[in-house]
Short mmCIF file of all heavy atoms in Angstrom, two decimals:
data_model
loop_
_atom_site.label_atom_id
_atom_site.label_comp_id
_atom_site.label_asym_id
_atom_site.label_seq_id
_atom_site.Cartn_x
_atom_site.Cartn_y
_atom_site.Cartn_z
N GLN A 7 122.75 134.14 -3.78
CA GLN A 7 123.74 133.30 -4.45
C GLN A 7 124.30 132.25 -3.49
O GLN A 7 124.65 131.14 -3.90
CB GLN A 7 124.88 134.16 -5.00
CG GLN A 7 124.45 135.15 -6.07
CD GLN A 7 123.90 134.46 -7.29
OE1 GLN A 7 124.39 133.40 -7.70
NE2 GLN A 7 122.87 135.04 -7.88
N MET A 8 124.38 132.58 -2.21
CA MET A 8 124.89 131.63 -1.23
C MET A 8 123.95 130.44 -1.05
O MET A 8 124.38 129.34 -0.75
CB MET A 8 125.11 132.32 0.12
CG MET A 8 126.18 133.39 0.11
SD MET A 8 127.82 132.78 -0.38
CE MET A 8 127.91 133.39 -2.07
N ILE A 9 122.64 130.68 -1.24
CA ILE A 9 121.69 129.58 -1.16
C ILE A 9 121.94 128.58 -2.27
O ILE A 9 121.87 127.36 -2.07
CB ILE A 9 120.24 130.14 -1.23
CG1 ILE A 9 119.96 131.01 -0.01
CG2 ILE A 9 119.23 129.01 -1.33
CD1 ILE A 9 118.60 131.68 -0.05
N ILE A 10 122.29 129.08 -3.46
CA ILE A 10 122.60 128.18 -4.57
C ILE A 10 123.84 127.36 -4.27
O ILE A 10 123.87 126.15 -4.45
CB ILE A 10 122.80 129.00 -5.86
CG1 ILE A 10 121.52 129.77 -6.20
CG2 ILE A 10 123.20 128.11 -7.02
CD1 ILE A 10 121.66 130.71 -7.38
N VAL A 11 124.90 128.04 -3.78
CA VAL A 11 126.14 127.34 -3.45
C VAL A 11 125.90 126.34 -2.33
O VAL A 11 126.40 125.20 -2.36
CB VAL A 11 127.24 128.34 -3.06
CG1 VAL A 11 128.52 127.62 -2.67
CG2 VAL A 11 127.51 129.31 -4.21
N GLY A 12 125.11 126.74 -1.32
CA GLY A 12 124.86 125.86 -0.19
C GLY A 12 124.08 124.62 -0.57
O GLY A 12 124.35 123.52 -0.07
N SER A 13 123.10 124.76 -1.46
CA SER A 13 122.32 123.59 -1.88
C SER A 13 123.18 122.59 -2.63
O SER A 13 122.96 121.37 -2.54
CB SER A 13 121.15 124.04 -2.75
OG SER A 13 121.61 124.67 -3.93
N TYR A 14 124.17 123.08 -3.35
CA TYR A 14 125.10 122.17 -4.04
C TYR A 14 126.09 121.55 -3.06
O TYR A 14 126.38 120.35 -3.12
CB TYR A 14 125.84 122.93 -5.14
CG TYR A 14 126.91 122.11 -5.82
CD1 TYR A 14 126.57 121.20 -6.82
CD2 TYR A 14 128.25 122.22 -5.46
CE1 TYR A 14 127.55 120.43 -7.44
CE2 TYR A 14 129.22 121.47 -6.08
CZ TYR A 14 128.86 120.57 -7.07
OH TYR A 14 129.83 119.81 -7.68
N GLU A 15 126.61 122.37 -2.15
CA GLU A 15 127.61 121.87 -1.20
C GLU A 15 127.03 120.87 -0.23
O GLU A 15 127.75 120.02 0.30
CB GLU A 15 128.21 123.06 -0.44
CG GLU A 15 129.25 123.84 -1.20
CD GLU A 15 130.53 123.06 -1.40
OE1 GLU A 15 130.96 122.37 -0.45
OE2 GLU A 15 131.11 123.15 -2.49
N LEU A 16 125.73 120.94 0.05
CA LEU A 16 125.11 120.00 0.99
C LEU A 16 125.29 118.57 0.54
O LEU A 16 125.65 117.69 1.34
CB LEU A 16 123.63 120.34 1.15
CG LEU A 16 122.82 119.42 2.08
CD1 LEU A 16 123.40 119.42 3.48
CD2 LEU A 16 121.35 119.84 2.11
N GLY A 17 125.05 118.30 -0.74
CA GLY A 17 125.24 116.95 -1.26
C GLY A 17 126.69 116.51 -1.17
O GLY A 17 127.00 115.36 -0.84
N THR A 18 127.62 117.43 -1.47
CA THR A 18 129.04 117.10 -1.40
C THR A 18 129.46 116.76 0.02
O THR A 18 130.21 115.80 0.26
CB THR A 18 129.88 118.28 -1.92
OG1 THR A 18 129.47 118.60 -3.26
CG2 THR A 18 131.36 117.95 -1.91
N ILE A 19 128.96 117.51 1.00
CA ILE A 19 129.32 117.26 2.39
C ILE A 19 128.76 115.92 2.86
O ILE A 19 129.43 115.18 3.61
CB ILE A 19 128.83 118.42 3.27
CG1 ILE A 19 129.68 119.66 3.01
CG2 ILE A 19 128.87 118.05 4.75
CD1 ILE A 19 129.25 120.88 3.79
N ILE A 20 127.55 115.57 2.44
CA ILE A 20 126.98 114.28 2.82
C ILE A 20 127.83 113.14 2.25
O ILE A 20 128.06 112.12 2.92
CB ILE A 20 125.52 114.18 2.34
CG1 ILE A 20 124.64 115.16 3.11
CG2 ILE A 20 124.99 112.76 2.52
CD1 ILE A 20 123.21 115.20 2.63
N ILE A 21 128.31 113.29 1.02
CA ILE A 21 129.18 112.27 0.42
C ILE A 21 130.47 112.14 1.23
O ILE A 21 130.92 111.03 1.53
CB ILE A 21 129.49 112.63 -1.04
CG1 ILE A 21 128.23 112.51 -1.90
CG2 ILE A 21 130.57 111.71 -1.59
CD1 ILE A 21 128.45 112.91 -3.34
N ILE A 22 131.07 113.28 1.58
CA ILE A 22 132.33 113.24 2.32
C ILE A 22 132.13 112.62 3.69
O ILE A 22 132.95 111.80 4.15
CB ILE A 22 132.92 114.66 2.43
CG1 ILE A 22 133.28 115.18 1.04
CG2 ILE A 22 134.13 114.68 3.35
CD1 ILE A 22 133.79 116.61 1.04
N GLU A 23 131.04 113.00 4.38
CA GLU A 23 130.77 112.40 5.70
C GLU A 23 130.60 110.90 5.61
O GLU A 23 131.14 110.14 6.44
CB GLU A 23 129.52 113.04 6.29
CG GLU A 23 129.13 112.52 7.66
CD GLU A 23 128.26 111.27 7.60
OE1 GLU A 23 127.40 111.20 6.70
OE2 GLU A 23 128.45 110.37 8.45
N SER A 24 129.89 110.43 4.60
CA SER A 24 129.69 108.99 4.43
C SER A 24 131.01 108.30 4.08
O SER A 24 131.26 107.18 4.54
CB SER A 24 128.66 108.74 3.32
OG SER A 24 127.41 109.30 3.65
N SER A 25 131.85 108.96 3.30
CA SER A 25 133.15 108.38 2.95
C SER A 25 134.05 108.25 4.17
O SER A 25 134.72 107.22 4.36
CB SER A 25 133.83 109.23 1.87
OG SER A 25 133.02 109.35 0.72
N ILE A 26 134.07 109.30 5.00
CA ILE A 26 134.88 109.25 6.22
C ILE A 26 134.37 108.16 7.15
O ILE A 26 135.15 107.41 7.75
CB ILE A 26 134.87 110.62 6.91
CG1 ILE A 26 135.53 111.69 6.03
CG2 ILE A 26 135.56 110.54 8.26
CD1 ILE A 26 137.00 111.48 5.82
N SER A 27 133.05 108.05 7.30
CA SER A 27 132.48 107.01 8.16
C SER A 27 132.73 105.63 7.57
O SER A 27 132.92 104.66 8.31
CB SER A 27 130.98 107.26 8.35
OG SER A 27 130.74 108.49 8.98
N TYR A 28 132.70 105.52 6.26
CA TYR A 28 132.98 104.24 5.61
C TYR A 28 134.39 103.76 5.94
O TYR A 28 134.63 102.56 6.12
CB TYR A 28 132.83 104.41 4.10
CG TYR A 28 133.16 103.19 3.28
CD1 TYR A 28 132.21 102.20 3.06
CD2 TYR A 28 134.43 103.01 2.74
CE1 TYR A 28 132.51 101.07 2.32
CE2 TYR A 28 134.75 101.89 2.00
CZ TYR A 28 133.78 100.92 1.79
OH TYR A 28 134.10 99.81 1.05
N LEU A 29 135.33 104.70 6.06
CA LEU A 29 136.71 104.35 6.40
C LEU A 29 136.91 104.12 7.89
O LEU A 29 138.01 103.77 8.31
CB LEU A 29 137.65 105.45 5.91
CG LEU A 29 137.69 105.68 4.39
CD1 LEU A 29 138.55 106.88 4.05
CD2 LEU A 29 138.19 104.44 3.67
N GLY A 30 135.87 104.35 8.69
CA GLY A 30 135.96 104.12 10.13
C GLY A 30 136.47 105.31 10.90
O GLY A 30 136.78 105.19 12.10
N LEU A 31 136.57 106.50 10.27
CA LEU A 31 137.09 107.68 10.93
C LEU A 31 136.01 108.72 11.22
O LEU A 31 136.31 109.82 11.66
CB LEU A 31 138.19 108.33 10.08
CG LEU A 31 139.44 107.49 9.85
CD1 LEU A 31 140.37 108.17 8.87
CD2 LEU A 31 140.16 107.23 11.17
#
C-alpha cells in the first residue's frame, strides 16, 4: 500500500519543489 501512496506523492513533491524554486527559495 505504501508503494501506491508513494507513487502518488512523488508527483506532488515534484510540483512543490518546482513551486518553491519558481519563487526563488
Side-chain angles (χ1 to χ4, degrees):
Q7 297 297 323
M8 295 301 103
I9 296 176
I10 300 175
V11 178
S13 63
Y14 175 80
E15 282 290 320
L16 178 59
T18 303
I19 288 178
I20 292 176
I21 292 177
I22 295 176
E23 180 273 322
S24 299
S25 302
I26 296 294
S27 298
Y28 177 85
L29 297 175
L31 296 174

